[in-house]
Amino acid sequence: MRILVTGGAGFIGGHLAAAFLRDGHDVTVLDNLEPFYDVRLKEHTLDVHREVASERAGSYTFRDGDVRDPETVREVVADADIVVHQAAQAGVRTSVAEPRKVTDINVGGTVTLLDAAKDADVDRVILASSSSVYGKPESLPYEEDHPTEPVSPYGVTKLAQEHMARVYTELHGLPTVALRYFTVYGPRMRPNMAISNFVSRCFNGEPPVIYGDGQQTRDFTYVDDVVDANRTLLTDGSVDGDVVNIGSSDNISIQELAEVVRDQIVPELAIEYESAREADAEHTHASVEKANETIGYEPSRTITEGVGEFIEWYEANREWYEPLVRSS
Ligand SMILES: NC(=O)c1ccc[n+]([C@@H]2O[C@H](COP(=O)([O-])OP(=O)(O)OC[C@H]3O[C@@H](n4cnc5c(N)ncnc54)[C@H](O)[C@@H]3O)[C@@H](O)[C@H]2O)c1
């Protein structure tokens, strides 16, 4: 199968591209290496791809380009059976600071891609959406028909992207599906996220810092589970035109997360608190019932297991990865 992964130099897209290469597919990555965090992390991911590709039958192409550029997008989409769309400006705080830019990339880029996919008759577009579309919980865990009232520009762009995809399915018959990811973590994760930050601070004997009182709750989803869901959808059309939560079965508070990390590295460290950051959701918690019933999705790890694996990976890769986390 020929698969285009947009944002494939990033954290999640990087894992998806590597997994598809391992599975023997022909993979093209489109990514503009946006310097939202240290670009060396993306270069490392591209090296991983080249290494995997050298050991497998499938072809690998990296295209340095922008998902908002119609010509580039048309060229790479023309060679794809499936498009896996991860390119976005992620990060709630960036979206508060630069709402126009984030809208341009997350909504404008998606429309450019959907247009090209429609014209090229691709088999399916799988889009990365986010738990941020829910915003204010009326009931938890979130089921997919829970009202959507995002509390950040980022969440609004992800919701707009979902609707745009659904409309392309309804109007043009382009198969699309949007996966609402709930805080994803694992090897090579973005340096500016709670888990990478806590782990790095603990390894350096510094207390993990919590923004707010630490009672905010989150699902933390291991990146392999996100890969599995996407892999299933390469050939499964049962949720076309729809949205599906991809979360974990373990919902914990940020305070508990800091303790889980700290206890595995330096149990005697204290935890520090700073004032809460604006536009962060209070609570996110996924119901994964729909994903389970439709595509057989099952989270594979508890948070303690997943964090343990991440810590092991961090230790093995500390030399190159830690400076990137520390500089973010
Ligand atoms: N990581 C999470 O916890 C999480 C949670 C919910 C949803 N998501 C979504 O999953 C997707 C992947 O997230 P991630 O954590 O891997 O982020 P990431 O920032 O690591 O990856 C995104 C990639 O997109 C690329 N990109 C940005 N703008 C682009 C453009 N205009 N043209 C081409 N490429 C561009 C970046 O260079 C980057 O490599 C995003 O759509 C994000 O919104 C992530």
Side-chain angles (χ1 to χ4, degrees), residues 6-14 30-37 41-42 63 65-69 85-91 104-106 109 127-132 154 158 161 179-185 188-191 193 221:
T6 72
F11 164 47
I12 298 173
L30 172 68
D31 198 300
N32 70 346
L33 306 179
E34 172 82 26
F36 169 48
Y37 54 79
L41 185 48
K42 301 183 187 195
R63 179 73 180 261
D66 198 304
V67 78
R68 292 166 291 180
D69 173 20
H85 180 40
Q86 310 296 305
Q89 176 62 62
D104 202 29
I105 297 173
N106 296 4
L127 301 97
S129 187
S130 164
S131 57
S132 308
Y154 170 72
K158 286 283 153 180
Q161 168 189 303
L179 299 179
R180 292 177 173 166
Y181 301 156
F182 284 66
T183 321
V184 186
Y185 73 104
R188 302 197 302 275
M189 70 186 292
R190 297 207 319 257
M193 295 184 78
T221 313

Side-chain angles (χ1 to χ4, degrees), residues 244-272:
V244 184
N245 291 338
I246 297 298
S248 66
S249 46
D250 241 5
N251 187 254
I252 65 165
S253 67
I254 297 291
Q255 161 94 32
E256 288 169 302
L257 173 71
E259 289 168 0
V260 166
V261 171
R262 190 250 340 247
D263 291 349
Q264 294 195 36
I265 305 174
V266 205
E268 60 277 11
L269 265 185
I271 290 172
E272 277 180 11

